[in-house]
Amino acid sequence: MPLSLQEIVSQVKSGQTDPRESVETALRKARDSADLNIFTEIFEEPARKQAALLADKVKSKQPTGRLAGAVFAAKDNFLYAGTKTTAAAPFLEDFIAPYSATCLQKLLDEDAILLGKTNLDAFAHGTSTENSCFGPTLNPHDPSLTPGGSSGGSAAAVAAGICPFALGTDTGGSVRLPASFCGLVGFKPTYGLLSRYGIVAMASSTDCVAPLTRSPQDASFLLELLKGRDDLDSTTLDGKEEEGPRKGTAALKVGVIKELTAELDAEVSKSFDGFLDGLSRSGHQVETISLPNIRHALACYYVLVSAEISSNLSRYDGLRYGRKEVGGDWQEVVSRSRRTGFMAENKRRILLGTYVLSQGYYEAYYQKAQKLRTLLCREFARAFEQADFLVSPTSPTTAFALGEKVGDPLQMYLADLMTVAASLAGLPATNLPLKTESLPVGVQIMTPQRTDGWNLKIAEEIFKEL
Amino acid sequence: MADFTRAQVQHLARLAKLDLTAEEIELYQKELAVILEFIDQLQAVEVGDLPPTEQVTDLRNVSRPDQSRDGLVLNREQLEANELEFADRQIKIPKVNL
């Protein structure tokens, strides 16, 4: 049993663990896993320096933060002042962040030690980390497979045992999917609970900071440190948990989303059935619930998110920061910089987003999708009247092979089939890794907005029984 | 609807200020046609008079005092680190030809 974050921190605070050793161990493991292409940058000397300062504080009995000595990694779309934030795209390959992301800073303020930045699909567009300009990250369970995406590097860092947790972002499944492919807990909070300030924006109405951990308990611990209103992100909520008929974690009504249990791989199907049996044995009441329009969630997602992407990525113009293709007038500089600065998938989504927002197509696509989003939110609300929490597999398959889907963008999008609906509705959703004989399989636990702590407690209870 | 012409891709590329090569135009033409066919399932969905959802928090008109704060305004050094050219206190960009 690996140590919990709280145990790790308590051992550092008591002097039992020297944070300098934690950092050396993490660096060594990172070096040993170099083939997996997990990191875009490792902060070797700064991490050692942080550890030395912390060791001094502990020795001289000064107060230390709630994450003292916990080594972690952050997806390379989190800005960290004074260092490169590349978003794994040519545009930002040499971009130095002028400020730090709020969530990153909160952890550093608690004396957590940042080991490095992890690889991702460029601009977080992808489900396999194969769209990175630095090449793909490999799955630690089987290096011929992808770790999932877009937070593949962060998932691999934890799955390879390099650090006990990592930060990622989840816009449509980008933490839950890699968590399920790598056998980790991936927690997407209620939209708005964690500040997006300092995150390279993808889709502003669904982007969420989301941690990857080894247990739901660790995710709960991080949630408490990360949540809360941020003046720098006006879409943040206060951290209050929703009151209501929350009946603890025993004898609950579980809704299995019927439309998300079709067309599953044999391994996933078997593991998921086993999971449902386990829930019944634990005293929960398991029922199938239909959310008829959830089968359109993926189409809805790609319309809305591509539209938001096309808007958010218009700031990459080669004029303000990042790669610039010199020569010619303004139009030429902008268009050429955008030609060489973006990866193919970025361009695909920009074009799609531009299309659904353009004259003549706006009503049929974008507005339609916005209304469908309302419908989905209402279907979830109705479902939560019948069940306490909803479950589905996180992915219809286990980790797929490198190269398998790169030639087929739609197939790549379908990897997010199970995860996008919770993103559209802003619900907290946790990937819980099941015990399997071969490749990891994850299940998804969804609860109403602002019941994040409760969601993770449910996950914790189930995790213990697995 | 599932057919995507070269002219359509070029039009979108112009709107999005993306300079695409001939190969890219051909590739995206094919790929977007497939994606659009998938997305067209939305046409059959009944949404009636439902209001559109823009965002899923119930926040409205969140504001803060109109005051500058330390660390939130980039200084000249930070801007220069982004390889920007200055003329006095103005940033120079390539000529805009309309």
Side-chain angles (χ1 to χ4, degrees):
Chain A
M1 248 342 268
L3 293 178
S4 72
L5 273 179
Q6 280 161 309
E7 283 166 336
I8 289 172
V9 170
S10 130
Q11 285 186 3
V12 169
K13 283 179 185 284
S14 69
Q16 188 183 344
T17 301
D18 186 327
R20 288 168 295 192
E21 274 173 41
S22 308
V23 167
E24 290 311 319
T25 302
L27 287 172
R28 183 179 36 84
K29 287 189 179 165
R31 270 194 307 272
D32 291 345
S33 312
D35 284 347
L36 299 179
N37 195 30
I38 290 172
F39 290 95
T40 58
E41 189 169 0
I42 298 181
F43 302 123
E44 206 170 312
E45 285 318 311
R48 285 186 170 126
K49 211 161 125 208
Q50 281 308 307
L53 284 170
L54 183 60
D56 279 342
K57 271 211 257 184
V58 170
K59 199 154 154 217
S60 55
K61 305 226 193 291
Q62 286 171 59
T64 55
R66 289 173 285 179
L67 276 176
V71 178
F72 76 108
K75 187 175 181 181
D76 203 10
N77 61 353
F78 281 77
L79 266 63
Y80 181 35
T83 67
K84 277 197 237 169
T85 298
T86 67
F91 238 126
L92 297 179
E93 250 182 307
D94 296 310
F95 171 70
I96 307 281
Y99 56 90
S100 294
T102 295
C103 282
L104 188 57
Q105 194 59 51
K106 279 186 173 180
L107 299 183
L108 297 173
D109 288 345
E110 296 288 352
D111 288 330
I113 299 175
L114 181 62
L115 187 70
K117 299 296 226 38
T118 57
N119 199 17
L120 61 155
D121 283 295
F123 284 108
H125 302 173
T127 55
S128 68
T129 314
E130 291 174 287
N131 289 326
S132 166
C133 71
F134 303 120
T137 295
L138 312 183
N139 191 319
H141 290 272
D142 179 341
S144 70
L145 306 177
T146 75
S150 58
S151 311
S154 282
V158 181
I162 297 170
C163 46
F165 78 95
L167 287 183
T169 58
D170 188 310
T171 300
S174 287
V175 151
R176 287 165 287 158
L177 186 69
S180 91
F181 283 4
C182 293
L184 304 170
V185 170
F187 169 62
K188 184 200 86 69
T190 296
Y191 172 82
L193 206 55
L194 270 49
S195 172
R196 290 177 296 116
Y197 180 76
I199 311 294
V200 174
M202 176 176 161
S204 305
S205 80
T206 66
D207 283 349
C208 291
V209 169
L212 288 139
T213 61
R214 298 186 299 209
S215 71
Q217 191 184 351
D218 284 354
S220 290
F221 188 52
L222 290 171
L223 174 66
E224 288 310 304
L225 301 178
L226 289 172
K227 71 182 185 180
R229 279 225 61 211
D230 182 12
D231 282 345
L232 300 172
D233 174 356
S234 61
T235 63
T236 51
L237 309 165
D238 64 49
K240 276 203 306 268
E241 188 90 349
E242 178 76 12
E243 302 296 338
R246 298 296 150 231
K247 318 169 206 154
T249 57
L252 296 174
K253 277 198 273 184
V254 185
V256 180
I257 302 179
K258 172 164 152 235
E259 289 78 9
L260 298 185
T261 56
E263 291 172 34
L264 303 174
D265 260 14
E267 274 183 79
V268 173
S269 189
K270 188 165 148 231
S271 296
F272 189 64
D273 286 341
F275 166 68
L276 296 179
D277 287 339
L279 289 178
S280 296
R281 279 197 306 274
S282 302
H284 297 303
Q285 192 186 327
V286 180
E287 271 166 25
T288 303
I289 292 192
S290 173
L291 275 75
N293 283 292
I294 213 172
R295 11 183 211 116
H296 299 300
L298 192 68
C300 178
Y301 173 84
Y302 271 99
V303 169
L304 296 177
V305 164
S306 302
E308 293 186 17
I309 284 171
S310 73
S311 174
N312 276 329
L313 266 56
S314 64
R315 69 195 60 174
Y316 300 103
D317 52 17
L319 301 175
R320 294 169 242 211
Y321 41 66
R323 166 176 297 215
K324 176 193 332 229
E325 295 289 339
V326 288
D329 67 10
W330 176 82
Q331 285 264 50
E332 286 162 329
V333 169
V334 172
S335 304
R336 284 205 212 110
S337 303
R338 287 163 71 77
R339 184 181 78 209
T340 60
F342 288 134
M343 303 295 280
E345 184 57 38
N346 308 134
K347 294 180 196 176
R348 225 172 261 130
R349 294 189 190 202
I350 290 170
L351 290 170
L352 182 60
T354 304
Y355 179 72
V356 303
L357 288 173
S358 65
Q359 192 179 52
Y361 298 102
Y362 177 86
E363 287 87 6
Y365 290 105
Y366 185 72
Q367 266 194 347
K368 187 76 182 275
Q370 284 187 304
K371 293 179 181 186
L372 178 53
R373 189 174 185 179
T374 305
L375 187 54
L376 278 169
C377 290
R378 292 187 187 185
E379 280 188 3
F380 270 118
R382 266 201 302 277
F384 285 124
E385 284 166 10
Q386 300 165 54
D388 293 308
F389 66 96
L390 301 175
V391 297
S392 81
T394 299
S395 160
T397 70
T398 54
F400 48 85
L402 288 162
E404 186 182 314
K405 299 184 199 258
V406 280
D408 191 340
L410 183 60
Q411 279 309 307
M412 201 64 98
Y413 295 171
L414 288 167
D416 272 340
L417 192 66
M418 317 287 192
T419 48
V420 291
S423 299
L424 290 170
L427 306 178
T430 304
N431 175 79
L432 199 59
L434 300 179
K435 290 255 176 309
T436 62
E437 268 143 38
S438 54
L439 290 173
V441 171
V443 293
Q444 198 180 198
I445 294 172
M446 290 164 272
T447 54
Q449 283 183 305
R450 289 194 186 253
T451 61
D452 299 59
W454 185 59
N455 183 311
L456 287 169
K457 280 213 188 68
I458 292 172
E460 201 177 314
E461 285 306 313
I462 299 174
F463 193 61
K464 283 193 217 157
E465 308 274 326
L466 288 175
Chain B
M1 273 266 177
D3 230 351
F4 219 48
T5 66
R6 186 185 175 75
Q8 274 176 300
V9 179
Q10 280 170 320
H11 172 62
L12 295 176
R14 223 172 4 248
L15 286 175
K17 305 233 176 330
L18 274 177
D19 188 29
L20 299 179
T21 63
E23 289 84 25
E24 280 176 310
I25 294 179
E26 202 185 320
L27 176 67
Y28 297 142
Q29 202 185 327
K30 291 198 192 85
E31 290 176 341
L32 289 174
V34 171
I35 294 167
L36 277 173
E37 190 165 353
F38 175 75
I39 283 175
D40 272 341
Q41 62 183 259
L42 293 181
Q43 304 313 324
V45 180
E46 289 292 330
V47 291
D49 278 329
L50 281 177
T53 292
E54 257 116 33
Q55 50 106 350
V56 292
T57 69
D58 42 25
L59 296 168
R60 297 181 80 77
N61 299 331
V62 178
S63 59
R64 63 173 175 83
D66 184 14
Q67 276 158 20
S68 170
R69 279 192 288 184
D70 279 344
L72 288 188
V73 179
L74 296 183
N75 60 37
R76 176 96 174 211
E77 262 155 30
Q78 287 169 312
L79 291 172
E80 278 170 351
N82 287 318
E83 289 170 30
L84 293 172
E85 251 187 276
F86 284 86
D88 195 24
R89 283 175 60 81
Q90 294 178 309
I91 298 172
K92 286 170 72 175
I93 66 164
K95 185 177 169 63
V96 180
N97 283 321
L98 292 168

